[in-house]
């Protein structure tokens, strides 16, 4: 019983640290089992031009890319990949019209970000029940994206290109 009592604060600290005061990202947030319950949405990335002076805004995290986590993820360009994570705008709401962006300057690509996966951990950590469904699972065909290195982000406001940096570099071979 004492072990359970001692573990509860540690578990709470991990969840809160994952969505802490950093208004950008938390790549250390572990995905809950419920996030996998929402089927991945099949989409094909399209060319995208982000405004050069786009502001950073919102909260987000990439939990995994084809089961991989880290600052750099390498995937074959012929693969279909599943990206899972969560996103919130600056007002701590699920952003409408958000985009998942593969950016490397002149050759950037984007897909619509469709949220809906259960993320009670995000809602609790950011203090917004509106984020209980902030999770996403995107199933993307990488064949249309040229080999190269891409910084991943979520555009939370397409009108201004305001975005949240997922702090993950995707290398497509």
């Amino acid at each position: 019983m004492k072990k359970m009592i001692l573990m509860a604060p540690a578990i709470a600290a991990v969840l809160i640290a994952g969505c802490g005061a950093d208004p950008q990202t938390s790549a250390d947030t572990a995905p809950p089992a419920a996030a996998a319950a929402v089927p991945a949405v099949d989409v094909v990335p399209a060319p995208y031009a982000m405004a050069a002076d786009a502001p950073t805004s919102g909260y987000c995290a990439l939990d995994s890319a084809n089961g991989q986590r880290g600052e750099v993820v390498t995937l074959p360009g012929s693969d279909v990949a599943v990206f899972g994570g969560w996103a919130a705008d600056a007002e701590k709401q699920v952003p409408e019209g958000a985009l998942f962006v593969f950016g490397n300057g002149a050759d950037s690509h984007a897909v619509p970000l469709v949220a809906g996966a259960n993320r009670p951990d995000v809602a609790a950590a950011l203090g917004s029940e509106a984020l209980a469904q902030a999770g996403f699972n995107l199933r993307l065909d990488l064949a249309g994206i040229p080999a190269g290195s891409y910084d991943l982000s979520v555009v939370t406001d397409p009108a201004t290109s305001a975005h949240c940096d997922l702090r993950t570099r995707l290398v497509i071979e």
Side-chain angles (χ1 to χ4, degrees):
M1 183 69 164
K2 287 184 180 182
K3 286 183 182 178
M4 293 287 280
I5 292 171
L6 293 175
M7 288 183 62
I11 292 170
V14 168
L15 290 175
I16 290 170
C19 302
D22 185 351
Q24 273 293 299
T25 345
S26 177
D28 295 331
T29 304
V38 173
V41 177
D42 286 313
V43 288
V44 176
Y48 178 75
M50 186 181 298
D53 59 348
T56 57
S57 179
Y59 307 81
C60 61
L62 183 68
D63 295 327
S64 68
N66 267 11
Q68 296 182 45
R69 293 180 53 136
E71 292 180 14
V72 178
V73 174
T74 302
L75 297 174
S78 60
D79 266 6
V80 171
V82 177
F83 296 84
W86 59 269
D89 62 20
E91 290 77 34
K92 298 182 181 178
Q93 303 291 312
V94 175
E96 291 187 31
L99 299 170
F100 186 83
V101 177
F102 301 79
N104 75 354
D107 196 20
S108 297
H109 300 269
V111 297
L113 186 140
V114 180
N118 290 328
R119 290 308 299 253
D121 60 326
V122 174
L126 293 177
S128 174
E129 282 303 312
L131 298 177
Q133 301 290 309
F136 63 84
N137 292 300
L138 299 172
R139 182 179 159 95
L140 307 175
D141 183 354
L142 300 179
I145 300 177
S149 181
Y150 298 88
D151 293 319
L152 301 179
S153 63
V154 172
V155 171
T156 56
D157 181 3
T160 65
S161 292
H163 64 284
C164 178
D165 183 355
L166 287 165
R167 297 186 183 158
T168 300
R169 178 163 291 232
L170 175 66
V171 177
I172 299 178
E173 298 180 324

